[in-house]
Amino acid sequence: MAIPYNTSLQKASFFLTGFQGLEHLHGWISIPFCSIYLTVILGNLTILHVIRTDSTLHEPMYYFLAMLALTDLGLCLCTLPTVLGIFWFNAREIGIPACFTQLFFIHTLSLVESSVLLSMSIDRYVAICNPLRYSTILTPARIVKMGLSSLLRSALLILPLPFLLKRFQYCRSHVLAHAYCLHLEIMKLACSSIIVNHVYGLFVVACTVGVDSLLIFLSYALILRTVLSIASRQERLRALNTCVSHICAVLLFYIPMIGLSLVHRFGEHLPRIVHLLMSYVYLLVPPLMNPIVYSIKTKQIRQRIAKKFEFVKSHRCFQQD
C-alpha cells in the first residue's frame, strides 16, 4: 500500500536490519561493535583533549587533526544508537523523520571528512612547498573559514536529499538492509521514478569526493616534486615522514568508499554479509583507525599522550601513598 508523505508518512516507519539469520547471536556480535564504538569515542576524545590542553599543539596541522577527530566522533555517534539498539533490544523500527535525520548527518559528515582531508593536504603542501609563509598563509582565521566552508558545503549539498525522498510513495517493503539509514537504499524502496535522486546523488559525489580526491592527488604530486628537488636524502625523508599519517588517513577513507561502491555496483552476486561488512568497514574503520595512526606516526601527539598517562599514573600513586 502506498504511503503518501502528506498524510501518513509521519506515522510510517522503516525497519532496520542487523545480521539477518544471526539474530540469536546478536548479543555476542554486539561485543566487538561495543569495543569499536568505545575505542572510537575514547581515541578521538583523547586526540581532542591533548590538542586543546597543550599550547605547543596549537598549530594548523593539529587544528585540522582536531576537525578530523570531531568529524569521526560525530559519524560514530550517528550510527551508534540504531546499531546497538538492534543488537541489544532488537529495536528495528525507526520513524521516517528520524531515519531521514540520521541519513542527513551520516552523509553530511562523510562529505565533511573528505573536505577535512583536502584541507590537511593543503596544510602539508604549504608546509613543504612554501614553509617560510606557512604561518602567514594558514592563519587561525583562515583555518576557521576552511572548516566552516567544509561544513556548509556538505550540509547544503545533502540538505535536498531528505526532501527528495519525502516526495516518494513507498509501496514496497519498508525493510532496510542495514542498521542505519542511507539515501541509496531508501530511494530503492520507492515505487516511482528515482532518476532525479540518482542524478543528484552522482552530482554531489562528483563535486565533493571527486573534486577533493583530485585536489589531494594534485597536492601530493606537487609535494613529491618539491621533495625530490631537495638535495639531502635525510631532509627528503623527513619531509615525506610528515605526510605519512595524512596519507594513511586518506587511504582509510577512500579505499573503503571505493570498495563499498564496487560492491554495490557489481557485487549483486556476492553474499549479503559482504555488503554488510563493507558498509560497517566504511563507516567505522576510519574513525577507529585515524586516532591510532596519528598517535603512532605523529611524534608530538604520541609524546603528549604518553605524558598525560604518566601524569595520571603518578597522581594515583601519590594519592595511594
Side-chain angles (χ1 to χ4, degrees), residues 37-38 41 75-86 88 102:
Y37 278 119
L38 186 61
I41 293 169
L75 200 54
C76 163
L77 295 176
C78 283
T79 60
L80 185 150
T82 52
V83 171
L84 295 186
I86 288 176
W88 286 349
Q102 184 186 51

Side-chain angles (χ1 to χ4, degrees), residues 19 33 36-37 40 72 75 79 83 110 113 178 180 182 249 251-261 263 273-290:
F19 286 85
F33 277 89
I36 290 171
Y37 278 119
V40 169
D72 285 338
L75 200 54
T79 60
V83 171
S110 295
E113 179 141 356
H178 299 92
Y180 40 81
L182 297 174
L251 294 176
L252 285 169
F253 178 76
Y254 283 104
I255 289 177
M257 175 181 282
I258 294 170
L260 183 62
S261 299
V263 166
I273 189 72
V274 175
H275 292 257
L276 274 178
L277 290 176
M278 283 303 301
S279 66
Y280 284 122
V281 166
Y282 167 62
L283 286 177
L284 294 179
V285 167
L288 173 68
M289 294 303 300
N290 284 337

Side-chain angles (χ1 to χ4, degrees), residues 101-140:
T101 301
Q102 184 186 51
L103 173 152
F104 171 78
F105 282 107
I106 288 175
H107 289 299
T108 296
L109 290 171
S110 295
L111 297 188
V112 169
E113 179 141 356
S114 176
S115 298
V116 171
L117 290 172
L118 173 60
S119 299
M120 295 174 84
S121 72
I122 293 172
D123 168 77
R124 292 299 82 208
Y125 167 75
V126 176
I128 293 173
C129 300
N130 204 348
L132 297 179
R133 297 187 59 201
Y134 181 68
S135 58
T136 57
I137 293 175
L138 293 175
T139 60

Side-chain angles (χ1 to χ4, degrees), residues 115-296:
S115 298
V116 171
L117 290 172
L118 173 60
S119 299
M120 295 174 84
S121 72
I122 293 172
D123 168 77
R124 292 299 82 208
Y125 167 75
V126 176
I128 293 173
C129 300
N130 204 348
L132 297 179
R133 297 187 59 201
Y134 181 68
S135 58
T136 57
I137 293 175
L138 293 175
T139 60
R142 187 163 289 162
I143 292 170
V144 170
K145 289 178 182 177
M146 291 171 71
L148 290 176
S149 62
S150 298
L151 180 60
L152 192 62
R153 180 190 75 161
S154 303
L156 289 178
L157 285 171
I158 296 300
L159 187 60
L161 292 183
F163 295 99
L164 289 172
L165 292 171
K166 284 179 181 179
R167 66 192 178 89
F168 288 137
Q169 291 184 330
Y170 295 96
C171 54
R172 299 174 185 172
S173 169
H174 278 220
V175 178
L176 302 177
H178 299 92
Y180 40 81
C181 299
L182 297 174
H183 171 253
L184 181 64
E185 187 177 5
I186 293 174
M187 73 177 184
K188 289 181 179 179
L189 301 180
C191 53
S192 51
S193 174
I194 58 174
I195 185 64
V196 174
N197 290 62
H198 263 304
V199 172
Y200 185 74
L202 289 172
F203 166 75
V204 170
V205 171
C207 67
T208 53
V209 176
V211 171
D212 292 347
S213 58
L214 286 175
L215 292 176
I216 290 171
F217 178 80
L218 177 62
S219 68
Y220 272 102
L222 296 173
I223 287 171
L224 189 61
R225 187 183 68 176
T226 301
V227 168
L228 291 176
S229 67
I230 299 174
S232 169
R233 181 176 180 273
Q234 187 175 358
E235 289 299 319
R236 289 201 300 267
L237 292 175
R238 184 181 300 174
L240 287 175
N241 191 53
T242 64
C243 300
V244 171
S245 299
H246 177 253
I247 291 172
C248 290
V250 170
L251 294 176
L252 285 169
F253 178 76
Y254 283 104
I255 289 177
M257 175 181 282
I258 294 170
L260 183 62
S261 299
L262 291 175
V263 166
H264 274 304
R265 298 294 187 279
F266 309 110
E268 293 182 0
H269 62 286
L270 293 174
R272 187 174 171 278
I273 189 72
V274 175
H275 292 257
L276 274 178
L277 290 176
M278 283 303 301
S279 66
Y280 284 122
V281 166
Y282 167 62
L283 286 177
L284 294 179
V285 167
L288 173 68
M289 294 303 300
N290 284 337
I292 297 173
V293 167
Y294 274 93
S295 299
I296 293 173

Side-chain angles (χ1 to χ4, degrees), residues 25-42:
L25 296 176
H26 274 181
W28 292 103
I29 294 172
S30 71
I31 295 175
F33 277 89
C34 287
S35 302
I36 290 171
Y37 278 119
L38 186 61
T39 305
V40 169
I41 293 169
L42 290 178

